């Protein structure tokens, strides 16, 4: 069972600054681990950046040579050489840039693939309670747009940080070699540039974070109303206008947040631009006076100012490094938060069960969905089902019937008590092997938007065409499928909505027949159908139930009068148990439910 804190608590707890700092460090280590498989490519990227930043020094240095050597000495051949060198260095730098861009994209996309697979596989292993508590749109947003944002971080942010650091380092070495005093003046201006930008970082981070949360909301609203069931609900209640207003409110909030992010960004850029202009101004003045006095040559001054662009632009970008890193961390953090949620884990030493007899025992089973609350969905339930028996569960709505049968494949775990199959506690079995022996035909039949054949093969990918046909014949659906224009290749539509409810259910029955499990769970498989359809489904169910241990939840009590045992559940408790005749003779809840069901 999913035992972590509720989702909303997880999000709000992230705002603790100390936790944030420690988490930030841990996240940096985790991000580094993502790069590990691609370290060789990353080394090449860094080498390319280094070579390119050296080549970038060529134009200002060659300018110096042109002014002080070629022009001053009227040396035409030197002039040609320096110009050729300038062109060659520019072409070389361009070619290296292409290679670097290719490697960058490769690393970025590989990391996205790795994260996407890790995230989706992890989500597949999350307990059902996570999915009932979280909006599908929010999950989708993390899997799609958050993972995509990683690409921008990997190929953009991280590369620009490395590029800037290397550019600053190589430029610093060059200007100090060129002229010590001018270099000192240039460096003295740097703190003026960096300090004002520092506080902007946190504001940027907070703004981006709020934007992402709002995007989750937007995605959830879109997803909910644009699904087949959602749109049916919207239309049947005529709520298009309400949905429009709700959507308008969310998108307007998002718009304001995005404008805020852009505004903070513009302030940031304005400060950077101002500094990039002021810095060279100071050097022109200081260096110009020195050149007039004859302390330095014109060539040194001109190339120095040229080099300053290579110093101040990356320095000002690095002044925002804090913004860049925490914004990048925010992207990874949202993915890591999902990856850190506790997934379903088998207990230590869990055994993979092979063939089973199918003797099921519930021993004093209690279930509380909310562990902190008082309400028990199931309260001290005990019963035994012998192999091959058909046991029905009946009771009023909300009595706990579905909750009870969900415990068998461990979609939820009991809060206390235990369940055994053939005497083995199901907690000591691997979930995979346990679920292999249980087939479920549930209230809601889910089919993938794919062909009928592929939906059937989902139960057993190696099934032959003959096996599929046999299963469909037994499930009373083969002829109906053959009558369809594309037969088994008919696309069933979103969630199978191109088929009738009865057809969907018979396909679901055929799917379980293919799986051929020892234990069968039928959860109100016939409740949503009319009498004629119900008779067809019942006919389909008969071969499915034969020779299996069956747990049947039914509202139409006429269908379970022949069950080997009927358990009557009310308010989460087992209140009556026996055969149809004996229960009728008791004249209790079952007898009342039965007579009501006959009238309906
Ligand atoms: P019905 O015949 O109407 O389908 P049921 O007998 O199958 O009802 P359950 O679905 O087992 O009843 O529900 C039993 C109780 O547990 C109900 O009060 C329900 O609100 C609650 N419940 C069911 N599923 C969950 C869940 N995932 N989280 C929290 N509470 C739940």
């Amino acid at each position: 069972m999913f035992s972590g804190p509720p989702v909303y608590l997880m999000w709000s707890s992230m705002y603790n600054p100390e936790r944030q700092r420690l988490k930030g460090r841990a996240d940096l280590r985790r991000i580094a681990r993502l790069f590990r498989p691609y370290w060789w490519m990353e080394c090449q990227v860094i080498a390319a950046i280094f070579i390119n930043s050296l080549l970038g020094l060529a134009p200002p240095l060659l300018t110096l040579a042109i002014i002080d050597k070629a022009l001053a000495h009227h040396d035409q051949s030197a002039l040609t050489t320096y110009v050729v060198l300038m062109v060659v260095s520019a072409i070389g730098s361009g070619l290296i840039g292409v290679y670097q861009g290719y490697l960058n994209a490769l690393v970025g996309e590989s990391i996205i693939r790795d994260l996407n697979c890790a995230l989706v596989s992890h989500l597949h292993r999350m307990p059902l309670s996570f999915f009932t508590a979280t909006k599908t749109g929010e999950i989708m947003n993390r899997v799609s747009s958050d993972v995509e944002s990683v690409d921008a971080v990997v190929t953009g942010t991280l590369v620009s940080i490395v590029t800037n650091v290397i550019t600053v380092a190589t430029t610093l070495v060059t200007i100090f070699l060129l002229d010590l005093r001018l270099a000192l003046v240039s460096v003295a201006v740097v703190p003026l540039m960096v300090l004002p930008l520092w506080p902007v970082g946190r504001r940027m981070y907070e703004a981006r974070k709020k934007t992402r949360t709002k995007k989750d909301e937007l995605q959830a609203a879109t997803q909910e109303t644009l699904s087949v069931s959602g749109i049916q609900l919207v239309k049947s209640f005529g709520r298009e206008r309400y949905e429009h207003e709700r959507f308008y409110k969310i998108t307007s909030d998002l718009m304001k947040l995005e404008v805020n992010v852009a505004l903070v960004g513009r302030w940031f850029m304005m400060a950077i631009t101002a500094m990039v202009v002021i810095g060279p101004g100071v050097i022109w003045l200081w260096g110009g006076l020195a050149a007039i006095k004859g302390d330095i040559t014109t060539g040194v001054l001109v190339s120095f100012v040229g080099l300053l662009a290579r110093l101040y632009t990356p320095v000002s970008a690095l002044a925002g490094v804090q913004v860049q890193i925490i914004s990048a961390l925010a992207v990874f953090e949202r993915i890591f938060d999902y990856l850190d949620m506790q997934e379903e884990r088998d207990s230590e030493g869990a055994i993979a069960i092979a063939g089973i007899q199918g003797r099921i025992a519930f021993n004093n089973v209690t279930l509380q969905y909310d562990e902190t609350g008082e309400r028990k969905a199931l309260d001290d339930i005990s019963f035994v089902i012998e192999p091959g028996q058909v046991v029905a569960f009946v009771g009023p709505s909300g009595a706990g019937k579905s909750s009870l049968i969900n415990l068998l494949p461990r979609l939820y775990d009991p809060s206390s008590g235990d369940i055994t199959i053939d005497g083995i506690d199901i907690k000591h079995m691997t979930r995979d092997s346990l679920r292999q022996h249980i087939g479920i035909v549930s209230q809601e039949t889910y089919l993938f938007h794919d062909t009928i054949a592929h939906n059937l093969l989902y139960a057993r990918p190696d099934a032959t065409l003959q096996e599929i046909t046999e299963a469909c014949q037994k499930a009373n659906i083969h002829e109906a499928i053959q009558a369809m224009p594309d037969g088994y290749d008919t696309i069933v539509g979103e969630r199978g909505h191109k088929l009738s409810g009865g057809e969907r259910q018979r396909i679901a029955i055929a799917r379980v027949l293919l799986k051929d499990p020892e234990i069968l769970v039928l959860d109100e498989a016939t409740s949503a159908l009319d009498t004629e359809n119900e008779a067809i489904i019942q006919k389909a169910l008969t071969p499915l139930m034969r020779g299996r241990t069956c747990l049947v939840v039914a509202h139409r009590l006429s269908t379970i009068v022949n069950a080997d045992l009927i358990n009557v559940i009310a308010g989460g408790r087992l209140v009556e148990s026996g055969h149809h005749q004996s229960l009728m003779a008791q004249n209790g809840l079952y007898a009342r439910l039965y007579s009501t069901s006959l009238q309906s």
Side-chain angles (χ1 to χ4, degrees):
M1 185 156 182
F2 177 54
S3 55
V7 175
Y8 62 88
L9 278 183
M10 280 191 240
W11 302 150
S12 57
S13 66
M14 286 180 355
Y15 286 98
N16 176 336
E18 177 58 16
R19 183 175 175 273
Q20 196 68 43
R21 199 174 56 78
L22 292 173
K23 201 163 178 304
R25 256 191 238 157
D27 282 353
L28 279 177
R29 277 199 295 274
R30 276 176 93 166
I31 294 170
R33 273 205 295 276
L34 292 174
F35 282 88
R36 202 178 286 161
Y38 311 104
W39 69 272
W40 175 234
M41 282 190 241
E42 279 303 301
C43 286
Q44 292 180 60
V45 169
I46 292 172
I49 293 173
F50 187 72
I51 295 170
N52 252 352
S53 91
L54 289 181
L55 287 175
L57 290 170
L61 293 180
L62 288 167
T63 308
L64 182 149
I66 288 171
I67 296 174
D68 285 358
K69 297 208 173 112
L71 297 183
H73 300 109
H74 305 286
D75 184 343
Q76 281 188 20
S77 78
L79 179 66
T80 318
T81 311
Y82 295 142
V83 171
V84 168
L85 281 177
M86 240 181 210
V87 173
V88 169
S89 68
I91 293 173
S93 151
L95 289 175
I96 292 171
V98 171
Y99 184 59
Q100 183 199 323
Y102 160 73
L103 286 180
N104 242 346
L106 197 59
V107 173
E109 295 304 326
S110 305
I111 287 177
I112 285 197
R113 180 203 50 199
D114 297 349
L115 268 181
N116 240 332
C117 291
L119 195 56
V120 173
S121 309
H122 182 74
L123 284 169
H124 283 156
R125 288 191 300 271
M126 287 295 288
L128 192 63
S129 51
F130 166 76
F131 294 93
T132 51
T134 317
K135 291 183 177 180
T136 314
E138 187 189 316
I139 300 175
M140 291 300 154
N141 207 22
R142 280 182 205 233
V143 175
S144 57
S145 65
D146 283 358
V147 174
E148 262 168 40
S149 313
V150 165
D151 189 27
V153 170
V154 172
T155 55
T157 313
L158 297 185
V159 171
S160 87
I161 292 174
V162 175
T163 310
N164 288 332
V165 167
I166 293 179
T167 310
V168 168
T170 51
T171 310
L172 275 177
V173 171
T174 314
I175 61 170
F176 272 96
L177 289 176
L178 217 54
D179 189 281
L180 185 64
R181 278 167 307 160
L182 269 187
L184 284 173
V185 176
S186 314
V187 173
V189 186
V190 167
L192 290 177
M193 224 180 270
V194 175
L195 293 178
L197 297 177
W198 215 247
V200 186
R202 179 134 293 270
R203 294 192 60 184
M204 194 77 166
Y205 172 72
E206 296 298 345
R208 290 219 173 121
K209 194 160 187 146
K210 278 188 197 151
T211 312
R212 284 185 190 284
T213 313
K214 198 43 94 179
K215 278 187 180 160
D216 279 347
E217 207 181 313
L218 179 67
Q219 180 93 4
T222 317
Q223 178 98 21
E224 271 178 352
T225 52
L226 295 185
S227 65
V228 176
S229 314
I231 197 76
Q232 276 177 357
L233 190 70
V234 173
K235 285 185 188 298
S236 62
F237 283 92
R239 298 290 274 173
E240 288 89 344
R241 188 165 177 77
Y242 164 79
E243 287 302 338
H244 167 77
E245 280 162 12
R246 188 163 77 107
F247 210 74
Y248 186 79
K249 164 101 182 45
I250 301 174
T251 43
S252 300
D253 289 348
L254 185 60
M255 179 198 79
K256 285 179 204 149
L257 287 170
E258 292 281 22
V259 169
N260 190 25
V261 169
L263 191 67
V264 176
R266 286 319 299 180
W267 279 113
F268 198 71
M269 281 312 292
M270 199 200 93
I272 288 175
T273 317
M275 284 305 166
V276 170
V277 174
I278 293 168
V282 173
I283 296 302
W284 268 122
L285 194 64
W286 184 289
L289 290 173
I292 289 169
K293 276 197 250 159
D295 290 348
I296 57 171
T297 65
T298 315
V300 168
L301 179 61
V302 173
S303 72
F304 213 96
V305 173
L307 283 167
L308 283 188
R310 291 177 48 82
L311 181 66
Y312 291 153
T313 310
V315 160
S316 36
L318 285 174
V321 74
Q322 177 209 20
V323 183
Q324 294 176 17
I325 289 178
I326 47 188
S327 303
L329 274 181
V331 171
F332 280 102
E333 195 180 277
R334 279 168 56 92
I335 296 170
F336 291 157
D337 273 327
Y338 260 31
L339 283 174
D340 288 344
M341 285 187 209
Q342 201 181 336
E343 57 184 33
E344 286 181 333
R345 282 218 188 95
D346 291 328
S347 60
E348 204 141 308
I351 49 167
I353 47 161
I356 59 164
Q357 297 284 313
R359 184 178 193 275
I360 300 167
F362 274 57
N363 305 312
N364 309 101
V365 168
T366 296
L367 172 68
Q368 256 177 289
Y369 284 108
D370 179 5
E371 299 272 336
T372 53
E374 294 276 290
R375 220 165 140 253
K376 291 176 180 167
L378 295 173
D379 191 0
D380 198 20
I381 302 251
S382 299
F383 59 82
V384 174
I385 306 175
E386 295 300 335
Q389 273 192 336
V390 174
V391 175
F393 296 88
V394 300
S397 177
K401 306 177 295 288
S402 302
S403 303
L404 186 140
I405 56 168
N406 280 344
L407 296 179
L408 195 58
R410 293 194 64 192
L411 297 180
Y412 294 89
D413 281 336
S415 313
S416 65
D418 58 67
I419 302 164
T420 62
I421 295 179
D422 295 348
I424 306 170
D425 190 334
I426 56 172
K427 276 197 182 142
H428 300 143
M429 303 174 181
T430 61
R431 280 186 175 77
D432 271 359
S433 69
L434 168 69
R435 289 172 186 168
Q436 254 167 29
H437 297 286
I438 302 173
I440 304 174
V441 181
S442 62
Q443 301 188 15
E444 259 186 86
T445 306
Y446 194 93
L447 298 177
F448 290 115
H449 192 143
D450 203 337
T451 62
I452 293 177
H454 279 136
N455 269 291
L456 290 166
L457 284 171
Y458 201 72
R460 191 148 63 83
D462 60 350
T464 62
L465 186 62
Q466 195 186 344
E467 285 169 326
I468 292 179
T469 318
E470 271 171 24
C472 288
Q473 276 165 342
K474 282 187 191 158
N476 219 353
I477 185 72
H478 176 66
E479 275 150 37
I481 296 173
Q482 281 208 313
M484 294 175 194
D486 294 324
Y488 280 88
D489 292 328
T490 305
I491 304 274
V492 300
E494 185 66 18
R495 308 194 79 187
H497 275 274
K498 282 188 183 170
L499 304 176
S500 77
E503 285 166 346
R504 276 203 298 274
Q505 277 199 328
R506 277 178 285 153
I507 288 180
I509 291 169
R511 194 162 58 180
V512 176
L513 269 166
L514 271 177
K515 184 178 178 186
D516 196 21
E518 289 90 340
I519 297 171
L520 183 67
V521 173
L522 301 174
D523 187 2
E524 295 185 321
T526 61
S527 69
L529 303 171
D530 55 41
T531 327
E532 193 188 335
N533 249 318
E534 188 193 321
I536 300 174
I537 298 284
Q538 279 305 327
K539 212 172 140 201
L541 283 174
T542 314
L544 181 62
M545 292 167 78
R546 202 170 294 137
R548 302 177 212 273
T549 308
C550 298
L551 290 81
V552 184
V553 174
H555 275 168
R556 304 216 179 189
L557 303 193
S558 54
T559 58
I560 46 107
V561 287
N562 294 325
D564 297 308
L565 181 72
I566 298 169
N567 284 330
V568 185
I569 313 281
R573 298 188 68 93
L574 181 61
V575 291
E576 291 171 20
S577 186
H579 294 105
H580 172 70
Q581 305 295 353
S582 64
L583 289 173
M584 286 305 281
Q586 272 185 34
N587 204 17
L589 177 60
Y590 178 78
R592 278 202 304 283
L593 289 169
Y594 188 74
S595 58
T596 323
S597 121
L598 282 187
Q599 285 157 19
S600 63

